[in-house]
Amino acid sequence: MMESKKEIWVFAECSRGAALPVVSELIAKAQEISGGIEGSSVAAVILGGDSAAVSQLSGLEIAKIYCMQHEALKDYRCDVYAAALQKMVEEYRPEYFFFGATAMGAELAPTTAALLKTGLAAHCIDLRWNGERLNCMVPAFGGKVVSEIYIPNARPIMASVRPGILGGTPAGRSDSAAPELVTADASFLGEFDSAEEFLEFIPSQKKDDAVEDAKIVVSAGRGVSTDKSWENVKNLAAKLGGSVAWSRSFIDTGRVDDESSMIGTSGKALSADLLINVGVSGATQYTCGTEKCKTIISINRDPRAKIFEHSDYGVVGDAEKILDAVLRKMA
Amino acid sequence: MMKIAVCVKSVPDPEYYEKITLDPATKRLVRDGIPAVIGEADRHALEAALALRDENGGEITVVSMGPPAARRQLLEALAMGADRAFLISDRKVGGADTLATSYTLSCLLAKTGTYDVILAGNESADGSTAHVPSQLGVWMGIAHAAGVVSVSSDDKGLIVTKEAEGGLAKYRLRTPCVVAVTPKANEVRFMDVRNILAAKEKELQVWSAADVGNMDESFMGLAGSPSQNGEVFAIESSKNCRMLTGTESEIADQIVSIISGNSKGGEEA
Ligand SMILES: Cc1cc2nc3c(=O)[nH]c(=O)nc-3n(C[C@H](O)[C@H](O)[C@H](O)COP(=O)(O)OP(=O)(O)OC[C@H]3O[C@@H](n4cnc5c(N)ncnc54)[C@H](O)[C@@H]3O)c2cc1C
Ligand SMILES: Cc1cc2nc3c(=O)[nH]c(=O)nc-3n(C[C@H](O)[C@H](O)[C@H](O)COP(=O)(O)OP(=O)(O)OC[C@H]3O[C@@H](n4cnc5c(N)ncnc54)[C@H](O)[C@@H]3O)c2cc1C
């Protein structure tokens, strides 16, 4: 077996020809970790070899881009992708391998880890190199608890990271040279017997201004129970140029029916500068998605609501009436 | 006739997670008195199994790894309509990470029969890594899908729709396969009194690792786990909340001023 070269790999998940935002976050984190580990370097891994994504990542301060190109990689199939990653890991032996905990990453990372019989830290909120080991900060129990997961012996050390939580912008190249492009052998895929048949992609109707990227968010909980208060929430968000989000119980009210803008453990983690919670009680499963917001204002009619413990400013009052007053001031 | 297995994990009731604290001396989680339940996603996995059995006929086997007390959750699964249940409970399998957990479940499944479909919750309420179903698929060497929002079967396999970036993606999986369902996949039916009464008569076995047999110790429990737990932290909010008081109009003024402090130039006049 070849000796490990201490490469830190980032899986560059692409959508419509571009690497997802979480890839930048992961590369920024990998650069930071690499700074603390002598002789280490950062590399991105692209399956399908999208040339637009390659040039997008080429401007970053990374040593290599590993690509595998094959028609079998055209549509995502978990077993094919995982076999491709296993092959690349066994050939090039990275020390670390990071994924975004996206829909794909949440399936592909554990599959790849199991094929490699290595450890994987799940949907981390941070990765911390302490000079000796990498502590992967994994939330559990609905976000009430965070555990340091580390992988002492098995390699590569794998972690998936929750999108939108790291922030950070990767360093661009200081020189004009491009990262080394390594094209991995894909010939084995010709005979690969996939047990998955891709049938179709159903795009969501929703606009894709993702709440996790929004700077200003107004979020509705079950306490937004009247048509007028819901209109107020949407109007306030529009006035502020922000996005609307909601709690899980708000979905139960029937005013919205999808989880694309739901906050929490099963939903999105926000990184907004300003969050306004309206009629949200503040369950752990909700507030773990709002920890990174800079300023939080919460409106709730119950003075003992837990949400106030997670807020900078609190208002005890009726959602509809308070928002009426705010909107009047802004008219 | 479909042979269906469902992975059911006994978890501490999520309603109580706010009460979890950290023992300052031992640095261990204090979760005393929190009752155990079947996790929400696993209920939907059970429902998906019942629906497949309604359509195709067949048998539903529930498997679990956990403490002996997890028997109660298996009894509940039988009361929901499953046909038989197996629990592996052994110190040797304790402290497992997801690779070791999925290995153990794969051995238990192999011991109890052959299956066309193995259903699981997409993520447990407590550890909630969402790894186990995919890794179970790898150990068993079969297809698997996570984040599934709908399941049905046709003569060529199982049709699953799963979450994807910017939408949903539909696949046909060759059987046998592992399918991890989210709560969106279905609505869990009410329990039928006849099932509740029949539950106690159904087969429910609690086995040790030796009973299961043929297990490789190097993949079991804490020792067989590549990932380890370091320090654990309980999250307390660092925020210091200032209550805004006054008339509605005065409160609104304060809110507007906080907002404008935050959205320099970003808002309309
Ligand atoms: C704070 C904390 C953090 C952790 N972080 C990690 C980590 O980063 N990486 C890691 O590898 N392990 C981690 N673990 C360990 C992990 O929780 C255990 O391995 C656990 O046994 C299985 O994982 P899960 O609960 O996350 O299951 P998930 O993968 O979330 O469960 C999905 C589904 O699999 C089935 N299933 C899971 N476990 C069982 C079971 N015992 N019996 C029957 N069916 C089951 C159920 O259908 C369940 O709904 C962590 C544990 C804690 C307490
Ligand atoms: C495994 C698991 C995962 C979960 N994941 C998530 C998740 O990802 N996201 C999520 O949000 N939840 C999640 N939950 C659910 C979570 O535990 C809570 O039930 C949920 O967040 C509550 O939503 P809520 O605050 O909108 O509703 P409620 O808890 O019902 O609170 C409504 C609040 O509105 C206030 N109110 C009522 N009327 C008014 C009014 N007229 N004006 C002002 N205030 C008013 C009330 O005082 C109350 O505080 C999960 C639960 C489990 C078990």
Side-chain angles (χ1 to χ4, degrees):
Chain A
M1 234 180 265
M2 235 202 289
E3 235 227 283
S4 172
K5 290 184 297 267
K6 297 238 158 107
E7 284 186 3
I8 306 175
W9 282 16
V10 169
F11 177 68
E13 180 179 344
C14 298
S15 171
R16 288 177 232 117
L20 298 182
V22 68
V23 176
S24 299
E25 296 183 286
L26 290 170
I27 291 178
K29 180 51 84 173
Q31 289 173 337
E32 175 198 316
I33 294 167
S34 176
I37 306 177
E38 225 190 275
S40 67
S41 61
V42 179
V45 179
I46 303 180
L47 291 182
D50 203 300
S51 56
V54 172
S55 49
Q56 178 193 357
L57 298 178
S58 292
L60 302 178
E61 186 64 51
I62 56 180
K64 291 180 189 169
I65 298 177
Y66 289 94
C67 279
M68 190 181 274
Q69 282 161 317
H70 195 279
E71 64 181 302
L73 297 169
K74 191 172 135 280
D75 297 304
Y76 167 67
R77 284 172 296 166
C78 185
D79 58 1
V80 186
Y81 269 46
L85 294 180
Q86 178 189 17
K87 190 91 195 303
M88 290 166 97
V89 167
E90 284 171 354
E91 187 158 348
Y92 301 105
R93 309 243 139 235
E95 183 82 357
Y96 301 89
F97 200 175
F98 303 149
F99 291 71
T102 58
M104 185 196 291
E107 180 180 73
L108 183 57
T111 304
T112 308
L115 288 170
L116 295 164
K117 305 235 182 325
T118 188
L120 170 66
H123 45 66
C124 304
I125 54 171
D126 201 4
L127 303 173
R128 298 181 188 157
W129 172 252
N130 71 0
E132 276 168 29
R133 73 179 195 210
L134 186 73
N135 284 319
C136 307
M137 310 308 289
V138 176
F141 295 96
K144 178 65 193 178
V145 165
V146 175
S147 179
E148 280 177 2
I149 299 290
Y150 66 102
I151 297 158
N153 302 313
R155 293 294 178 268
I157 290 168
M158 289 180 63
S160 70
V161 176
R162 206 174 173 139
I165 204 111
L166 292 176
T169 315
R173 297 196 78 78
S174 44
D175 53 22
S176 56
E180 182 189 343
L181 192 64
V182 182
T183 306
D185 175 29
S187 56
F188 79 104
L189 287 175
E191 277 122 61
F192 190 86
D193 177 29
S194 174
E196 299 171 40
E197 183 188 345
F198 172 75
L199 299 176
E200 64 172 321
F201 179 72
I202 307 144
S204 55
Q205 314 292 339
K206 289 277 167 292
K207 51 189 180 3
D208 39 11
D209 55 342
V211 280
E212 59 267 42
D213 301 328
K215 288 290 150 220
I216 298 178
V217 175
V218 185
S219 174
R222 199 202 291 274
V224 175
S225 54
T226 62
D227 292 340
K228 183 67 195 307
S229 56
W230 176 224
E231 281 311 309
N232 283 352
V233 165
K234 289 190 284 188
N235 285 339
L236 180 60
K239 274 241 155 62
L240 297 173
S243 299
V244 178
W246 44 80
S247 73
R248 190 156 86 183
S249 295
F250 186 68
I251 298 176
D252 301 337
T253 66
R255 286 175 211 277
V256 292
D257 62 2
D258 76 306
E259 293 187 357
S260 64
S261 299
M262 183 180 87
I263 298 173
T265 35
S266 333
K268 299 288 162 64
L270 304 182
S271 51
D273 292 333
L274 174 69
L275 167 66
I276 304 176
N277 289 310
V278 188
V280 176
S281 63
T284 302
Q285 292 91 356
Y286 175 89
T287 54
C288 76
T290 68
E291 303 288 344
K292 287 249 163 164
C293 294
K294 289 207 188 82
T295 303
I296 302 181
I297 307 176
S298 296
I299 304 166
N300 195 303
R301 68 176 177 196
D302 177 2
R304 289 157 310 155
K306 261 207 75 204
I307 193 70
F308 294 129
E309 293 168 27
H310 300 268
S311 307
D312 301 281
Y313 302 97
V315 175
V316 177
D318 178 69
E320 182 177 323
K321 292 204 188 112
I322 299 289
L323 291 187
D324 270 343
V326 172
L327 285 165
R328 266 199 304 275
K329 303 278 176 187
M330 296 180 62
Chain B
M1 264 291 285
M2 212 176 217
K3 299 194 88 180
I4 307 161
V6 186
C7 302
V8 171
K9 185 183 185 192
S10 165
V11 296
D13 189 339
E15 293 292 320
Y16 295 80
Y17 290 176
E18 261 117 72
K19 301 202 168 61
I20 293 178
T21 52
L22 210 62
D23 183 324
T26 62
K27 292 265 178 198
R28 293 185 56 166
L29 295 177
V30 182
R31 37 196 261 205
D32 303 342
I34 302 186
V37 295
I38 296 179
E40 189 195 17
D42 296 8
R43 292 182 181 278
H44 291 274
L46 276 162
E47 173 59 40
L50 295 170
L52 284 172
R53 190 184 60 185
D54 289 346
E55 202 184 301
N56 304 289
E59 186 185 54
I60 300 173
T61 303
V62 172
V63 294
S64 188
M65 174 184 106
R71 210 175 174 280
R72 306 223 9 204
Q73 279 65 56
L74 294 195
L75 198 58
E76 188 181 340
L78 294 174
M80 287 173 74
D83 298 296
R84 44 182 214 143
F86 298 90
L87 171 67
I88 177 166
S89 196
D90 195 315
R91 280 226 182 88
K92 284 193 183 136
V93 300
D97 71 356
T98 63
L99 189 69
T101 300
S102 51
Y103 172 73
T104 301
L105 289 173
S106 75
C107 296
L108 183 57
L109 284 163
K111 171 77 179 177
T112 55
T114 55
Y115 301 97
D116 301 303
V117 184
I118 295 139
L119 291 152
N122 191 56
E123 62 175 54
S124 71
D126 53 354
S128 67
T129 61
H131 292 173
V132 169
S134 296
Q135 301 195 317
L136 180 60
V138 172
W139 284 111
M140 301 184 76
I142 59 180
H144 55 89
V148 170
V149 299
S150 88
V151 200
S152 59
S153 59
D154 72 4
D155 50 0
K156 282 179 275 173
L158 225 64
I159 310 291
V160 298
T161 305
K162 65 188 187 188
E163 280 157 0
E165 191 63 32
L168 298 169
K170 201 168 177 180
Y171 292 82
R172 180 184 286 112
L173 303 183
R174 190 189 294 159
T175 55
C177 57
V178 182
V179 176
V181 304
T182 67
K184 268 179 271 180
N186 52 43
E187 236 165 85
V188 181
R189 68 190 67 182
F190 289 109
M191 279 202 229
D192 180 328
V193 184
R194 278 164 306 175
N195 281 332
I196 299 175
L197 294 175
K200 285 212 164 85
E201 311 303 319
K202 293 177 182 170
E203 180 178 11
L204 198 176
Q205 306 265 8
V206 182
W207 283 343
S208 66
D211 294 332
V212 173
N214 266 325
M215 292 183 72
D216 183 338
E217 297 226 1
S218 62
F219 295 125
M220 279 158 58
L222 187 61
S225 296
S227 45
Q228 304 287 327
N229 258 287
E231 203 169 330
V232 180
F233 307 89
I235 301 295
E236 307 297 343
S237 175
S238 56
K239 298 249 184 217
N240 212 335
C241 189
R242 208 185 98 208
M243 299 310 284
L244 307 179
T245 53
T247 63
E248 268 154 24
S249 169
E250 286 161 3
I251 288 172
D253 279 330
Q254 297 172 65
I255 292 179
V256 170
S257 112
I258 296 162
I259 290 174
S260 27
N262 258 286
S263 55
K264 297 174 194 88
E267 104 220 56
E268 294 169 30

